[in-house]
Amino acid sequence: WNLLTDYENLQNVVPNLVVNEVLELLPGSPSPQTHLHALDPNLSHAEQCRAIAQNMKGAILKQVGGAKVVGINFSARTTLEVREWPQGMPDFAHFEEEVYEGKSRSARVRESKGRELERYVFPRPFALSSLPHKDISMQSVEKDDGEFRMYQGVWRMQPLPGCSPPGESAMRLTYAVEVSPRPYLPVALVEGRIA
């Protein structure tokens, strides 16, 4: 958690991140998730997620990712709104009701290819729903002029009791990302390198 929320030093932790500039730190409110109970039920899930996110701590980051792909240096830039969810994101903030729904990952990817990405409706990283978790959400700012029309993802941290030697702890870190690239971006070449 501390590594991924040390926004000034993310380029030292996240693979292929070559530029990381903190444009603004977002202080959040003293008890941000208490707003969950005050939400208007007439709002869509995306509007509810936006309302809660505005109260969460985070940052606005300008980032450039780079990698060598088939011998060619490639880079992509974006400006991200990052938000911290210390008690995890609410279920309605994700576009899938369940993680696997009895379908293989490739089947779910094929089914969602034509789905339009929606702001504040995030992909769901793998997690055991019976255990607590913390999330860090990120999405490109509105009207971002980078290589993605939309970029959104979630880092999820989940303690794994009983998976480490006595007196130590274990943590599962998972990540889910969705992108809607500009037409000129060679998605097939960079797909496995986006973080």
Side-chain angles (χ1 to χ4, degrees), residues 120-188:
Y120 294 97
V121 179
F122 293 90
R124 182 187 301 269
F126 174 79
L128 298 173
S129 57
S130 60
L131 296 175
H133 58 269
K134 297 179 178 185
D135 293 325
I136 299 171
S137 66
M138 64 214 73
Q139 66 182 334
S140 51
V141 297
E142 292 188 65
K143 299 183 181 160
D144 183 23
D145 64 352
E147 274 65 45
F148 304 105
R149 284 177 277 202
M150 179 73 167
Y151 176 107
Q152 57 191 19
V154 177
W155 287 99
R156 176 161 288 170
M157 285 135 276
Q158 187 171 48
L160 297 173
C163 293
S164 61
E168 296 185 24
S169 61
M171 178 78 64
R172 172 185 284 131
L173 173 64
T174 54
Y175 179 68
V177 65
E178 299 177 311
V179 296
S180 176
R182 305 264 183 223
Y184 57 83
L185 190 70
V187 175

Side-chain angles (χ1 to χ4, degrees), residues 93-120:
H94 301 287
F95 74 84
E96 292 181 25
E97 292 300 318
E98 284 298 323
V99 176
Y100 288 108
E101 299 177 332
K103 298 176 187 171
S104 72
R105 178 181 213 132
S106 58
R108 290 192 327 272
V109 167
R110 278 193 305 277
E111 287 177 5
S112 66
K113 278 224 190 269
R115 188 178 61 80
E116 190 72 27
L117 299 185
E118 183 180 354
R119 295 189 64 70
Y120 294 97

Side-chain angles (χ1 to χ4, degrees), residues 55-81:
N55 294 295
M56 305 308 275
K57 188 176 174 185
I60 304 295
L61 307 174
K62 187 172 206 91
Q63 296 185 330
V64 178
K68 193 169 218 167
V69 181
V70 202
I72 300 168
N73 287 329
F74 169 81
S75 67
R77 64 189 156 79
T78 189
T79 302
L80 296 173
E81 172 193 333

Side-chain angles (χ1 to χ4, degrees), residues 82-97:
V82 179
R83 297 291 181 161
E84 300 171 20
W85 303 79
Q87 264 67 80
M89 297 177 76
D91 275 344
F92 62 74
H94 301 287
F95 74 84
E96 292 181 25
E97 292 300 318

Side-chain angles (χ1 to χ4, degrees), residues 34-57:
T34 58
H35 300 281
L36 280 171
H37 304 294
L39 289 176
D40 181 346
N42 297 317
L43 295 176
S44 70
H45 288 162
E47 291 167 326
Q48 290 179 51
C49 185
R50 177 190 287 263
I52 298 168
Q54 300 308 312
N55 294 295
M56 305 308 275
K57 188 176 174 185

